[in-house]
Amino acid sequence: MSPAAFIDLLRASRHCVVLTGAGISTLSGIPDFRGKNGFYRRTDVDAQKLFDLSYFMRDPDYYYTHARDFIYNLADKEPNIIHAQLARLEELGVVRAVLTQNIDLLHQKAGSRRVLELHGSPSRHHCLNCGREFSFESIVRTLDQGRSPRCDACGGIVKPDIIFFGEPLDPAVLGEADDEASRADLMLVLGSSLTVYPAAGLPVSTLRQGGRLAIVNADPTPLDSRAVGRHADLGEVFAAVRDALDAGEIAAR
């Protein structure tokens, strides 16, 4: 699928929904998980242990120590061309919703308003004992002081509202995402390997209702054969989208 064919799909769509994965944020300097330079290939941290709920309950300091330069430096990260153009497409009414597997908050930072965070968000943290809420900024301040956060009301473990291994997805968020996927006449899968369920099943909801699927991802996915096309280079495709938007070639809905 050429960038021009991708833009033609956007022009023809009346209800486009986007599913994004970690691959879209590599241009912002955030490593993906399963790519050649991904988080799972690091030797200094065990990614499975980092996001494992049972391990977190035993040793929350492991998470906060190793997530410091992965999650809690997001203020230093900026949206890239992909985030920016998706926000522009939403403003025009072309993109109706972004369903994201990411926890980097960059869609919101770019200006996207309808973002369904399938795997939760670090923007809020809660005490697992008394339920007290802590902001992302307060957690960063604590980590900057060289301390792991504990609840200052009861001393309980403070956990980010990220979905860890061993936790179910929020049924309300997943239900809303599946509804959007079922209504879509076009789903764009961007930077996702489509191997992590249940998020990876959302494109099937689009296909089941007669919608089309287009994939832009560096590596093959299990749904490539059911897509109308696949392109490997996100930067190339979204440079073309930016140029088309600048030229007024994608109309508002």
Side-chain angles (χ1 to χ4, degrees):
M1 177 179 61
S2 68
F6 184 88
I7 291 167
D8 285 342
L9 289 171
L10 287 173
R11 288 197 189 102
S13 174
R14 289 297 174 267
H15 196 109
C16 176
V17 172
V18 182
L19 173 64
T20 65
I24 76 162
S25 295
T26 57
L27 293 176
S28 294
I30 299 174
D32 62 11
F33 283 87
R34 293 170 176 80
K36 63 180 181 179
N37 298 312
F39 200 68
Y40 280 102
R41 295 182 183 271
R42 288 176 57 171
T43 58
D44 59 330
V45 61
D46 185 333
Q48 288 292 134
K49 187 183 292 184
L50 185 68
F51 292 110
D52 182 82
L53 180 62
S54 61
Y55 195 87
F56 179 85
M57 297 300 293
R58 294 196 302 273
D59 183 14
D61 288 350
Y62 186 88
Y63 165 80
Y64 283 111
T65 297
H66 293 287
R68 178 69 186 88
D69 65 352
F70 175 59
I71 292 174
Y72 297 98
N73 65 348
L74 291 177
D76 301 330
K77 304 300 182 183
E78 293 297 328
N80 60 51
I81 188 172
I82 305 162
H83 302 101
Q85 304 319 306
L86 289 176
R88 292 178 72 186
L89 288 167
E90 181 187 13
E91 187 174 1
L92 288 174
V94 177
V95 166
R96 301 299 184 90
V98 173
L99 323 178
T100 188
Q101 297 172 274
N102 298 340
I103 54 173
D104 55 32
L105 308 175
L106 291 181
H107 284 300
Q108 295 92 327
K109 200 170 185 179
S112 289
R113 296 181 299 277
R114 184 150 168 70
V115 181
L116 300 178
E117 296 174 299
L118 297 166
H119 293 162
S121 171
S123 62
R124 295 171 306 279
H125 292 59
H126 285 86
C127 173
L128 297 180
N129 184 49
C130 71
R132 182 170 183 176
E133 182 174 323
F134 297 82
S135 69
F136 179 81
E137 292 76 17
S138 71
I139 299 297
V140 171
R141 286 194 296 270
T142 299
L143 294 173
D144 285 345
Q145 295 167 6
R147 299 183 292 117
S148 290
R150 293 292 188 275
C151 180
D152 51 12
C154 72
I157 295 173
V158 175
K159 179 186 174 295
D161 288 4
I162 295 168
I163 307 298
F164 279 37
F165 299 124
E167 288 187 291
L169 270 61
D170 183 325
V173 174
L174 183 60
E176 193 173 356
D178 188 63
D179 181 63
E180 283 291 348
S182 298
R183 295 169 61 197
D185 61 9
L186 173 66
M187 176 176 279
L188 309 179
V189 173
L190 309 176
S192 175
S193 61
L194 293 180
T195 57
V196 178
Y197 284 84
L202 291 170
V204 176
S205 294
T206 298
L207 293 168
R208 189 180 294 123
Q209 298 301 319
R212 295 191 291 180
L213 175 64
I215 299 171
V216 188
N217 192 58
D219 299 316
T221 81
L223 289 180
D224 284 357
S225 63
R226 301 184 65 181
V228 293
R230 186 177 82 87
H231 195 283
D233 193 324
L234 280 158
E236 181 182 355
V237 168
F238 276 85
V241 171
R242 176 197 59 206
D243 293 346
L245 287 168
D246 289 348
E249 295 173 359
I250 300 177
R253 302 292 185 264

